[in-house]
Amino acid sequence: MKWTSSLAGLLGLFTLVSAQADSTPFVDADTGITFQSATNSEGITYRVALPADASAEKPYDVIIQIVAPISMGWVAWAWGGGMTYNPLTVVWANGDSAVYSSRQALGYYTPIMYEDAKYTVLKGTSANATHFKLTALCSGCASWPDFDGNAMTLDGTSQVNFAYAYSTTPVDEPSNTETTFSIHDSVGHWTHDLGAARSDQFSSWCHSVFTFFSLPTSNLQSPPSSPPDFMAPARKSKVHRPPPPSRTLVLDNGAHTIKAGFVTDDAIDGPRVIPNCIARARDGKTYVASETTQCADFSEALFRRPVEKGFIVNWEAQKEIWEREFLDDQAPLRCDPSETRLLLAEPPNSLPILQGNCDQMVFEEFGFASYYRGPGAAWNAYHDLQAMFQTQPPQHHDEPTPTTASAVQSPAELILLIDSGYSHATVTPIFQGKPIHPAVRRLDVGGKFLTNYLTRVLSLRHYDMRNETYIVNEMKEAACYVSLDFRGDLERSWKGTRGERREVYLTGGGIAKDYVLPDFHTRSRGVVRDYDPTRASRAKRLAVGESSEDVLTLRNERFTIPELLFNPSDIGMWQPGLPDLVVQSLQCLPHGLWPGLLANILVVGGNSLFEGFVPRLQEELRKRFPDDCTVRLARAPDPITNTWLGGANLAQHPHLQSLTVTKLEYEEHGSPWLARKFAAGLGP
């Protein structure tokens, strides 16, 4: 299920339907309770009654009533003014009654169960041929803990903003309070006058209508032997936070490499780029992470990678890699987790189950003192972006320019980040250091996909390279480029019809290159050299006793492989390319944000190092927008470590301590609480 975040609501990402305020008291015929109600244009009514002393000074209970047309599959009431990170009351019809479910939405999926709000179903809850109605006493709807464990309480003396959502699609299991349900048809907000909803008869209403009747067992509390004390539970004591660790390990755990380094209050160490894999060579020896640099022969080597599609899916392998790099006695970046704070990057819109597994490993397996898990895309906002746009690095396939983190304490206002990495590519709009999740777009074509496809092509045209993915990956990085004239290059590299001898093909047309494969005796890496049409065939060289070289002549493979980033449909993939993903992302946003985003496009990731990648992307984007629209695009000086460097700047933020979670807090509150706190971010 998808829900708008508070940021998305602020920007107007969705069409909101305003509820009509009804300040006239409504007396319910079934219970005699006087409510203050609001009804939206779909005929859904939200009513509330408060005790006479309700205020923001102390928690209090509320009596709620939700009435909806029977055509509604479900309706929801959000108590904090936004659909995410606030208590939700979700109601639907089940036979001749109504079922409630206490939920909390943390992202764009079905909201989780929320246990801090306790409901007592009251008289009048029913369903008929036209409507369903829930009347309930709620403890915990008007107050809930914030990210630091302090209670937040709605001001019962003033006007308060609420939010609602509804769908006409029925829930999957009407009798199950933990059922899943579909995305909303619409969301909206209204302002409720809570001061007018207060009454000194509140306590008598609660006692007089305290009546239980048949509902699903999970929806009911056991009837008490005596009338309950209608007071909200006392707030929990705040967990004492120890002083922050003096050293922070910033970790960008990529699919191909790990970028890791330490940050202190006054210094940022340069990141180490570590292969994120476990390799087994042909001789059976195993190399873990940075040990792969000791491997002399990668021919037919097998690789085990813990990250797939951008997510850590094999914690057994990842744990072995982290231990070798950070915990062992001879680890290059050795640290004591109990005295170290961890900042870990994750992809946007990560799955909750994977986030929970990560939290568990960080605290229960490794025992880090404190921890922050955040979207790596947003870390790129903690740079001096204008300096990047003013001093562009050479746009050709070359080694990335070494950079160092600079003291940037506040994120850039607007960025459109394009990250084309090893496992996938994403387009992420970032507003004040936070990704706008509904507009994030993903392409399942990355460096690994390109390597595998090049392996397949070479195996069909030249040698069988299916067991040589390491060599093919090096070949791709050294010889491939993004064409600025795809049709023209394709024409120049075409052999012609059968029997035809095209001169441009015989001479290579400026496209063909020879790649000398490594033999791991005299050469550990392959070599790219200009195509020589006069060079004798390998068989003739062997006949005269010349030294043998395994040479592959690369022609259209050089540019047709990276072309898949722009046109994946060339091989039958039903996904748009990067330029079209940018358009799709912007179409989810208000037009007022488009100029700022298009003028601040930042490109990171290993695939951006392809020669011609940035000019081609800029050219394609300019074709898709009006001529008077400024499209400004820059590649980070070091696109491999740019995310890590942004995270290093974030680690020095003076308010980061308020965002991190300690091990004690994790043990007390659990992963759902961590997710809510991490999602809040630091903001501007």
Side-chain angles (χ1 to χ4, degrees):
M1 175 178 178
K2 296 183 179 178
W3 296 87
T4 56
S5 66
S6 57
L7 174 61
L10 175 65
L11 298 178
L13 301 182
F14 298 89
T15 302
L16 303 181
V17 183
S18 298
Q20 301 171 354
D22 182 4
S23 59
T24 303
F26 174 84
V27 179
D28 181 49
D30 293 327
T31 61
I33 299 174
T34 301
F35 293 98
Q36 290 291 322
S37 67
T39 304
N40 65 19
S41 59
E42 297 296 327
I44 306 172
T45 300
Y46 299 89
R47 297 171 179 149
V48 63
L50 277 63
D53 59 349
S55 69
E57 301 301 321
K58 63 178 182 179
Y60 56 87
D61 296 343
V62 297
I63 299 177
I64 65 170
Q65 187 174 84
I66 301 176
V67 184
I70 198 66
S71 59
M72 294 293 165
W74 57 265
V75 297
W77 184 339
W79 289 88
M83 296 307 300
T84 50
Y85 316 118
N86 294 309
L88 298 177
T89 304
V90 186
V91 183
W92 59 83
N94 180 32
D96 59 356
S97 188
V99 176
Y100 75 85
S101 182
S102 180
R103 301 289 184 113
Q104 187 171 57
L106 305 181
Y108 306 97
Y109 36 82
T110 303
I112 63 172
M113 300 300 295
Y114 180 70
E115 298 179 354
D116 289 345
K118 305 299 182 183
Y119 292 81
T120 303
V121 178
L122 302 179
K123 181 181 178 181
T125 299
S126 62
N128 55 33
T130 60
H131 290 79
F132 60 89
K133 178 172 68 173
L134 170 77
T135 307
L137 172 71
C138 180
S139 295
C141 287
S143 60
W144 58 92
D146 65 8
F147 298 131
D148 291 323
N150 299 316
M152 294 179 58
T153 304
L154 298 176
D155 188 355
T157 64
S158 64
Q159 294 186 349
V160 174
N161 291 325
F162 291 127
Y164 67 84
Y166 64 83
S167 174
T168 56
T169 303
V171 300
D172 296 332
E173 300 176 62
S175 61
N176 182 6
T177 59
E178 299 185 7
T179 183
T180 56
F181 41 89
S182 66
I183 187 174
H184 54 71
D185 293 344
S186 180
V187 295
H189 297 84
W190 82 94
T191 301
H192 215 108
D193 188 356
L194 295 189
R198 299 191 302 173
S199 174
D200 54 8
Q201 300 183 54
F202 183 85
S203 180
S204 61
W205 288 338
C206 293
H207 288 78
S208 63
V209 297
F210 195 79
T211 304
F212 289 84
F213 52 93
S214 178
L215 273 179
T217 304
S218 58
N219 240 303
L220 292 177
Q221 304 170 16
S222 300
S225 56
S226 60
D229 181 12
F230 297 103
M231 290 296 294
R235 65 179 65 180
K236 298 178 180 179
S237 60
K238 184 177 178 180
V239 177
H240 173 69
R241 292 179 65 93
S246 59
R247 195 163 67 156
T248 300
L249 174 62
V250 180
L251 200 60
D252 179 11
N253 203 84
H256 188 251
T257 57
I258 297 173
K259 282 68 69 177
F262 292 108
V263 177
T264 60
D265 291 338
D266 53 2
I268 296 178
D269 298 338
R272 280 177 52 88
V273 180
I274 306 163
N276 194 12
C277 64
I278 300 174
R280 189 178 69 183
R282 184 165 51 179
D283 59 5
K285 189 174 181 180
T286 300
Y287 301 89
V288 179
S290 58
E291 291 179 352
T292 55
T293 57
Q294 305 170 14
C295 181
D297 186 354
F298 283 101
S299 179
E300 298 183 3
L302 299 177
F303 292 88
R304 184 183 180 192
R305 300 189 184 275
V307 177
E308 293 288 342
K309 302 297 183 182
F311 305 105
I312 302 176
V313 296
N314 188 339
W315 271 107
E316 180 183 359
Q318 194 66 78
K319 181 174 181 288
E320 184 175 354
I321 292 170
W322 284 12
E323 287 177 343
R324 185 66 56 90
E325 295 297 323
F326 309 125
L327 303 181
D328 289 353
D329 292 338
Q330 303 300 321
L333 292 174
R334 190 175 186 278
C335 68
D336 181 357
S338 63
E339 300 177 355
T340 305
R341 176 169 58 189
L342 175 65
L343 260 67
L344 179 64
E346 67 172 354
N349 296 337
S350 182
L351 300 176
I353 184 64
L354 299 180
Q355 293 176 330
N357 291 341
C358 183
D359 299 338
Q360 182 179 355
M361 292 296 296
V362 166
F363 283 122
E364 299 183 18
E365 286 289 337
F366 296 102
F368 280 94
S370 61
Y371 159 62
Y372 169 63
R373 166 178 46 77
W379 293 7
N380 289 275
Y382 290 86
H383 283 282
D384 185 358
L385 294 181
Q386 298 310 312
M388 291 186 185
F389 284 104
Q390 293 169 5
T391 58
Q392 276 295 286
Q395 300 297 343
H396 55 79
H397 198 155
D398 202 350
E399 292 297 323
T401 305
T403 57
T404 57
S406 57
V408 177
Q409 295 299 324
S410 60
E413 187 75 11
L414 276 175
I415 306 176
L416 184 61
L417 184 78
I418 300 176
D419 184 355
S420 183
Y422 187 68
S423 60
H424 66 288
T426 54
V427 177
T428 309
I430 302 170
F431 176 71
Q432 294 182 345
K434 296 181 182 179
I436 306 176
H437 291 286
V440 174
R441 291 296 179 268
R442 174 187 174 109
L443 172 63
D444 291 324
V445 176
K448 181 179 180 180
F449 184 95
L450 299 181
T451 298
N452 290 341
Y453 194 72
L454 180 58
T455 301
R456 178 182 175 185
V457 171
L458 294 177
S459 298
L460 290 173
R461 298 180 181 179
H462 300 282
Y463 303 123
D464 186 355
M465 306 290 289
R466 288 175 294 179
N467 295 326
E468 308 291 354
T469 54
Y470 181 86
I471 298 174
V472 175
N473 190 69
E474 286 189 333
M475 186 189 310
K476 176 201 70 179
E477 294 177 353
C480 288
Y481 70 96
V482 175
S483 174
L484 299 178
D485 181 12
F486 183 77
R487 291 183 179 274
D489 286 352
L490 205 59
E491 174 67 21
R492 286 189 292 273
S493 61
W494 182 44
K495 184 177 182 179
T497 57
R498 187 171 185 178
E500 184 180 0
R501 297 176 61 84
R502 301 180 72 244
E503 182 66 21
V504 68
Y505 178 83
L506 296 176
T507 60
I511 295 176
K513 295 285 185 181
D514 285 337
Y515 188 83
V516 182
L517 296 172
D519 57 14
F520 297 106
H521 297 290
T522 60
R523 288 183 307 277
S524 60
R525 293 179 64 90
V527 178
V528 180
R529 65 189 182 195
D530 292 336
Y531 173 66
D532 185 359
T534 63
R535 187 178 298 274
S537 67
R538 179 174 181 269
K540 291 182 179 179
R541 295 200 311 275
L542 289 175
V544 297
E546 294 183 9
S547 61
S548 63
E549 288 181 341
D550 289 328
V551 180
L552 290 177
T553 299
L554 301 176
R555 296 181 184 271
N556 64 15
E557 300 93 342
R558 294 187 63 210
F559 60 89
T560 55
I561 299 302
E563 184 68 19
L564 299 180
L565 293 168
F566 296 84
N567 292 291
S569 60
D570 287 352
I571 58 171
M573 289 187 66
W574 291 89
Q575 292 190 42
L578 282 176
D580 292 326
L581 283 182
V582 172
V583 175
Q584 288 186 7
S585 176
L586 292 179
Q587 287 175 342
C588 297
L589 302 172
H591 287 82
L593 292 179
W594 289 26
L597 291 170
L598 288 174
N600 295 279
I601 302 176
L602 182 65
V603 179
V604 298
N607 292 329
S608 66
L609 291 172
F610 280 127
E611 179 185 349
F613 180 90
V614 172
R616 170 68 181 279
L617 183 57
Q618 187 160 7
E619 177 186 341
E620 294 287 344
L621 290 176
R622 283 175 175 167
K623 292 178 182 178
R624 288 164 170 78
F625 296 98
D627 294 339
D628 58 350
C629 189
T630 300
V631 177
R632 189 175 62 158
L633 188 146
R635 189 187 73 188
D638 187 348
I640 304 296
T641 63
N642 196 71
T643 297
W644 184 93
L645 292 169
N649 288 328
L650 175 63
Q652 291 188 322
H653 196 285
H655 299 148
L656 181 66
Q657 177 67 2
S658 65
L659 186 58
T660 57
V661 172
T662 66
K663 191 172 187 294
L664 290 176
E665 289 174 328
Y666 167 77
E667 292 171 350
E668 176 168 340
H669 300 289
S671 283
W673 180 83
L674 265 67
R676 297 196 300 271
K677 182 164 185 175
F678 291 159
L682 284 174

